[in-house]
Amino acid sequence: MACNNEEWQVAGRRKGAARRGQHPSNPKLDSHQVSDCKLDKQKMTNAMNELRGEDVWMEWRDLLSKRLLSNASGSSDLNGDASLQHCVCYGLGNFASCVSSRYQLAMLLLLLETLQIPVGSCSVYDPVFSASECDALKELGFTVLTENEEGKRPVYQPTLFYLMHCGKALYNNLLWRNWTPQTLQKIIIIGNRFHGIQER
């Protein structure tokens, strides 16, 4: 479903891009940016509504909720009674212009709803996000990260990682940063098959 299967990279500075260190989202939005933000948010709402009745979503929901909710409701796999209340999404792509990225984001929103994870507890980052996409994500309730963690996020509580089309370097960084038996069992990844990475 990915629009771009390349390895995870920080987008290079292009002509006219914001200066180094500045976040792409301008706090003082002009009318054009506000319009784009509303349009991006409306596209997401439409995609969510469309997916709700699709067989692929209902099958995915039943499969994942059965497995994730059973683990997050107090099994020893996730260290006692800590519930799954945190989510991180990297590498989503330009959901405003890429249809597959838009539906992946819609799937994430529906999954958060099913698992009862607050949208505000889900952090998202992709260096390709436009200013209007960042604003639309904030409007939807997400926490938009301003720095590229390169997947090196330490995990302290059970956390769902939604990495639908990220390169193996990002997976390596995430696992390396949390490479202890106690921490690894707190990580749930929805993304590429590790077997496929191994074969390549």
Side-chain angles (χ1 to χ4, degrees):
M1 293 178 68
C3 288
N4 185 353
N5 289 320
E6 297 295 325
E7 295 289 343
W8 174 267
Q9 299 177 15
V10 178
R13 185 180 172 191
R14 293 176 293 181
K15 186 176 180 180
R19 291 184 177 177
R20 189 186 192 101
Q22 290 181 337
H23 189 267
S25 180
N26 187 341
K28 295 182 179 179
L29 299 177
D30 58 29
S31 59
H32 180 69
Q33 287 175 301
V34 171
S35 177
D36 286 345
C37 174
K38 289 181 179 179
L39 179 60
D40 294 345
K41 187 178 176 183
Q42 185 59 50
K43 287 179 180 178
M44 282 311 310
T45 302
N46 293 342
M48 285 182 67
N49 291 336
E50 184 178 341
L51 280 177
R52 284 184 196 276
E54 294 292 328
D55 290 341
V56 64
W57 159 245
M58 291 186 280
E59 291 174 8
W60 205 56
R61 176 199 62 195
D62 294 343
L63 174 65
L64 291 178
S65 61
K66 180 180 178 181
R67 294 195 179 188
L68 298 183
L69 288 174
S70 64
N71 281 343
S73 62
S75 74
S76 59
D77 290 340
L78 290 178
N79 279 351
D81 57 1
S83 62
L84 185 60
Q85 287 293 304
H86 299 276
C87 178
V88 178
C89 172
Y90 296 132
L92 188 65
N94 292 118
F95 59 90
S97 57
C98 177
V99 175
S100 62
S101 294
R102 190 177 312 141
Y103 281 103
Q104 287 170 0
L105 178 54
M107 287 280 241
L108 173 59
L109 283 163
L110 291 172
L111 184 60
L112 294 175
E113 181 181 283
T114 299
L115 298 176
Q116 298 182 346
I117 299 175
V119 178
S121 295
C122 183
S123 300
V124 295
Y125 181 81
D126 194 315
V128 304
F129 284 154
S130 67
S132 65
E133 285 174 325
C134 288
D135 294 320
L137 288 166
K138 291 174 185 176
E139 286 282 330
L140 289 165
F142 287 101
T143 300
V144 180
L145 302 176
T146 58
E147 295 183 11
N148 186 358
E149 299 176 338
E150 299 180 335
K152 300 172 185 177
R153 170 174 284 235
V155 173
Y156 303 105
Q157 296 179 340
T159 303
L160 173 66
F161 284 86
Y162 190 80
L163 315 174
M164 294 302 284
H165 49 92
C166 294
K168 67 178 181 180
L170 188 137
Y171 287 91
N172 287 341
N173 288 346
L174 174 62
L175 296 175
W176 169 81
R177 184 64 180 82
N178 297 283
W179 197 252
T180 68
Q182 296 76 20
T183 306
L184 287 175
Q185 64 185 358
K186 297 177 182 178
I187 297 174
I188 298 173
I189 297 175
I190 297 177
N192 301 323
R193 293 172 62 236
F194 284 3
H195 183 66
I197 295 175
Q198 182 181 5
E199 286 180 339
R200 289 192 296 273

